[in-house]
C-alpha cells in the first residue's frame, strides 16, 4: 500500500503523481474501464446484510410505503461518495487523515475517533451476523460457528488486499458483488411488484414511529459512514498503481462513472429487496426476521429462489465485512496515527458479533438496530466531508462549487432532522 503525502496544507496535484496504462492505441472505453473499481468496492457497503434486514422488514411490514426512502438515500449517496472519492484523488489523503491533521486538540480527536470506531463496529456487527444467518439457512450451521466462519473467510479476503494490492482486492469484492446482485434481485422476476403501489411509495410519507425507525435504518444502511471514510482511502490507494500520467479532471470524470455504476447497482438491489418483500411477504407472519423471510420465500416462490437469496446474503456478509475492516483500520490510522495489522483488527472487531450470536439475541433485530446506530453516525462523517471538500486551500480548483456544497448541506440537514424526529417519536411513544 502506497504511503500518503505528509507535506503542507495543499497536496501535490494528482495529475503530477497518478499513473495509468494510458496509450494512444487503447480505446477510450477500455481506458475508462481500467479506472473503475474504488466506488464498486465502497458500494458493497450499500449491499450489506443490514440493508437486507432493513429493506426486507420495511417491505414486509409496510409494503411500498418506504420506496421513496430507498430512492432518496441512493441519490444522496451518489453525491456523498463522489465527494469522498474526489477528496482522496485530489489530496492524496483519506478523510480520516485530513481530520486527524485538522482536529488539533488530542481529546477532541480521540472523541471523534471513538464515535467513528463505534460506527465501524456497528457495521461489522451487521455483516458478521448476516453471514452467520446465511450459513445457518444454507447449511444449518449454528449461528456462533457461522460467525466464526464468516470472520475467518473475511481474513482471507483481507490477506488478498494486504499481499496482492488494491486491484486484486477489487476483483474479489466485485465478483462477490455480482453474486449479491443476482441473489437479491432474482426473486422480483418471480413476484413482480404492483406498479401502482411502487408509484404511490415514491410520495414521501410515514405511518407512525415504527416506520420512521425503519426509514432511519434504511438511511443508515444505505448512506454508511464507514463507506464515506473508506472511499477516500480506496481512491487514494488505487491510482498510483499504474504507469504513465493522467490529468486530475480525467480521473474525476472516470470517478463519476465509477460512482454512478456502483450506486445504480446498489440502488437497484436495495429497491428489489424491498419490492420483493412488499409483493411476496407483506402480511405473512414471521417475515420480520431473515429466517422467517427465507422460510416465506421457500413457501411462496419455491426453494430455488430462497436458496439464491441466502447465497446473496452470504456473499453480502463476506464482501461487506472485508470492506468494513479496511475502513476501521483507516479510521484508526488517520485519527490516532496508529496502524495495526488488518488481520488483528479483524479478530478484535469479531468479538462483539460473536457475543451477540452466542447470547441468543434475535439476529435480525440486532441488524436493524445496528443500522440505526449507523444513521446517527452519518452527520459526523458527512458534515466534515462537505466542509473540507469546499476549501480552496485543500482542493484548489477542484473544491466544491457553491451548488455542490449546498446540496451536501441539504443532505446533512435532512439526515439530522430525521434522526431528531426519530428520537422524539420513539421516546414520546
Amino acid at each position: 500500500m502506497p504511503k500518503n503525502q505528509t507535506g503542507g496544507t495543499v497536496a501535490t496535484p494528482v495529475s503530477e503523481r497518478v499513473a495509468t496504462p494510458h496509450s494512444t492505441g487503447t480505446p477510450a472505453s477500455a481506458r475508462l474501464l481500467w479506472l473503475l473499481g474504488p466506488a464498486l468496492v465502497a458500494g458493497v457497503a450499500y449491499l450489506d446484510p443490514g440493508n437486507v434486514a432493513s429493506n426486507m422488514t420495511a417491505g414486509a411490514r409496510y409494503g411500498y410505503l418506504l420506496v421513496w426512502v430507498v430512492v432518496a438515500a441512493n441519490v444522496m449517496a451518489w453525491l456523498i461518495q463522489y465527494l469522498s472519492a474526489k477528496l482522496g484523488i485530489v489530496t492524496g489523503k483519506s478523510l480520516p487523515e485530513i481530520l486527524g491533521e485538522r482536529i488539533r486538540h488530542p481529546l477532541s480527536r480521540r472523541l471523534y475517533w471513538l464515535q467513528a470506531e463505534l460506527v465501524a463496529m456497528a457495521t461489522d456487527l451487521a455483516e458478521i451476523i448476516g453471514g452467520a444467518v446465511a450459513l445457518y439457512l444454507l447449511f444449518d450451521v449454528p449461528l456462533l460457528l457461522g460467525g466464526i466462519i464468516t470472520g475467518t473467510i473475511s481474513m482471507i479476503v483481507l490477506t488478498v488486499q494486504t499481499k496482492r494490492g488494491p486491484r486484486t482486492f477489487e476483483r474479489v469484492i466485485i465478483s462477490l458483488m455480482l453474486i449479491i446482485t443476482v441473489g437479491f434481485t432474482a426473486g422480483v422476476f418471480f413476484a413482480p411488484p404492483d406498479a401502482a403501489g411502487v408509484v404511490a411509495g415514491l410520495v414521501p410519507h410515514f405511518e407512525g414511529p415504527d416506520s420512521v425507525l425503519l426509514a432511519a435504518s434504511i438511511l443508515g444502511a444505505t448512506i454508511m459512514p464507514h463507506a464515506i471514510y473508506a472511499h477516500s482511502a480506496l481512491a487514494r490507494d488505487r491510482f498510483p498503481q499504474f504507469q504513465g500520467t493522467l490529468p486530475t479532471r480525467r480521473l474525476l470524470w472516470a470517478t463519476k462513472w465509477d460512482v454512478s455504476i456502483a450506486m445504480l447497482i446498489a440502488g437497484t438491489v436495495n429497491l428489489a429487496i424491498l419490492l420483493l418483500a412488499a409483493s411476496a411477504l407483506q402480511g405473512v407472519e414471521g417475515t420480520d426476521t431473515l429466517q422467517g423471510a427465507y422460510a416465506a420465500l421457500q413457501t411462496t416462490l419455491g426453494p430455488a429462489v430462497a436458496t439464491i437469496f441466502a447465497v446473496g446474503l452470504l456473499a453480502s456478509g463476506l464482501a461487506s465485512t472485508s470492506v468494513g475492516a479496511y475502513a476501521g483500520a483507516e479510521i484508526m490510522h488517520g485519527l490516532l496515527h496508529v496502524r495495526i495489522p488488518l488481520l488483528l483488527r479483524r479478530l478484535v472487531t469479531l468479538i462483539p458479533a460473536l457475543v451477540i450470536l452466542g447470547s441468543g439475541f434475535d439476529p435480525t433485530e440486532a441488524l436493524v438496530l445496528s443500522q440505526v446506530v449507523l444513521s446517527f453516525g452519518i452527520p459526523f462523517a458527512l458534515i466534515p466531508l462537505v466542509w473540507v471538500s469546499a476549501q480552496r486551500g485543500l482542493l484548489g480548483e477542484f473544491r466544491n462549487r457553491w451548488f455542490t456544497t449546498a446540496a451536501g448541506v441539504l443532505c446533512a440537514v435532512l439526515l439530522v432532522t430525521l434522526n431528531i424526529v426519530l428520537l422524539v417519536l420513539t421516546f414520546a411513544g
Side-chain angles (χ1 to χ4, degrees):
M1 184 179 297
K3 295 182 179 179
N4 308 318
Q5 299 177 20
T6 56
T9 304
V10 181
T12 303
V14 77
S15 57
E16 298 179 15
R17 58 180 175 78
V18 175
T20 181
H22 182 283
S23 65
T24 56
T26 305
S29 59
R31 295 197 297 270
L32 173 62
L33 288 175
W34 197 259
L35 295 173
L36 302 182
L40 292 170
V41 174
V44 166
Y46 296 79
L47 299 173
D48 81 335
N51 290 83
V52 182
S54 298
N55 291 312
M56 187 70 73
T57 302
R61 289 185 187 175
Y62 294 101
Y64 304 103
L65 175 71
L66 298 179
V67 166
W68 67 274
V69 178
V70 177
V71 174
N74 278 275
V75 171
M76 289 189 287
W78 186 96
L79 173 63
I80 294 166
Q81 292 307 131
Y82 173 69
L83 292 181
S84 177
K86 181 177 74 170
L87 188 69
I89 290 172
V90 176
T91 67
K93 298 178 183 179
S94 69
L95 178 60
E97 285 178 313
I98 292 172
L99 294 179
E101 294 173 356
R102 295 190 167 225
I103 302 176
R104 303 284 184 173
H105 196 279
L107 179 59
S108 299
R109 191 170 63 251
R110 292 190 184 99
L111 288 175
Y112 186 91
W113 165 79
L114 181 60
Q115 65 78 27
E117 192 67 43
L118 290 175
V119 163
M121 291 180 69
T123 302
D124 227 19
L125 175 70
E127 293 155 353
I128 293 295
I129 288 177
V133 170
L135 288 172
Y136 171 77
L137 296 176
L138 288 169
F139 308 111
D140 203 28
V141 175
L143 289 175
L144 181 59
L145 178 59
I148 295 173
I149 293 173
T150 302
T152 301
I153 296 176
S154 71
M155 288 183 188
I156 296 173
V157 176
L158 288 170
T159 300
V160 171
Q161 196 275 342
T162 302
K163 301 295 184 183
R164 303 294 298 274
R167 190 61 175 166
T168 303
F169 182 62
E170 285 175 14
R171 293 192 183 104
V172 173
I173 298 299
I174 292 172
S175 298
L176 290 171
M177 176 183 271
L178 294 176
I179 298 173
I180 295 167
T181 302
V182 173
F184 291 153
T185 59
V188 176
F189 295 97
F190 294 90
D194 175 61
V198 175
V199 172
L202 291 172
V203 179
H205 61 296
F206 296 107
E207 291 182 4
D210 190 53
S211 66
V212 181
L213 175 66
L214 278 172
S217 180
I218 291 171
L219 284 170
T222 305
I223 306 173
M224 303 189 78
H226 84 282
I228 299 175
Y229 299 122
H231 200 169
S232 58
L234 289 165
R236 175 203 67 196
D237 293 342
R238 169 70 156 81
F239 296 109
Q241 303 300 315
F242 302 114
Q243 295 178 350
T245 59
L246 271 185
T248 303
R249 291 194 183 279
R250 171 74 175 178
L251 290 172
L252 294 179
W253 176 78
T255 296
K256 289 179 181 178
W257 277 99
D258 196 19
V259 175
S260 298
I261 293 169
M263 292 302 100
L264 179 62
I265 294 172
T268 300
V269 173
N270 283 319
L271 190 58
I273 294 169
L274 188 147
L275 296 180
L276 175 62
S279 61
L281 305 180
Q282 188 177 8
V284 179
E285 187 176 351
T287 52
D288 55 350
T289 68
L290 290 175
Q291 297 95 318
Y294 173 81
L297 287 174
Q298 276 188 318
T299 302
T300 57
L301 300 180
V305 173
T307 300
I308 292 172
F309 173 82
V311 170
L313 181 62
L314 178 60
S316 170
L318 294 175
S320 54
T321 192
S322 302
V323 176
Y326 172 89
E330 183 61 35
I331 289 168
M332 177 173 286
H333 168 66
L335 292 168
L336 298 186
H337 311 298
V338 173
R339 186 180 293 281
I340 63 173
L342 273 174
L343 297 185
L344 176 59
R345 181 182 176 82
R346 165 78 284 168
L347 284 172
V348 172
T349 56
L350 185 61
I351 295 173
L354 295 182
V355 170
I356 289 180
L357 289 171
S359 68
F361 190 83
D362 178 57
T364 304
E365 184 176 353
L367 282 173
V368 173
L369 291 176
S370 71
Q371 304 313 294
V372 175
V373 173
L374 294 179
S375 181
F376 283 100
I378 292 169
F380 293 98
L382 178 53
I383 293 174
L385 173 66
V386 175
W387 173 59
V388 299
S389 60
Q391 296 186 18
R392 178 185 291 273
L394 188 64
L395 277 80
E397 63 177 303
F398 301 105
R399 73 191 189 284
N400 297 343
R401 298 182 181 180
W402 71 265
F403 51 82
T404 303
T405 300
V409 170
L410 179 61
C411 289
V413 170
L414 289 173
L415 292 168
V416 171
T417 301
L418 179 61
N419 287 333
I420 293 173
V421 172
L422 172 62
L423 281 174
V424 172
L425 291 176
T426 301
F427 289 102

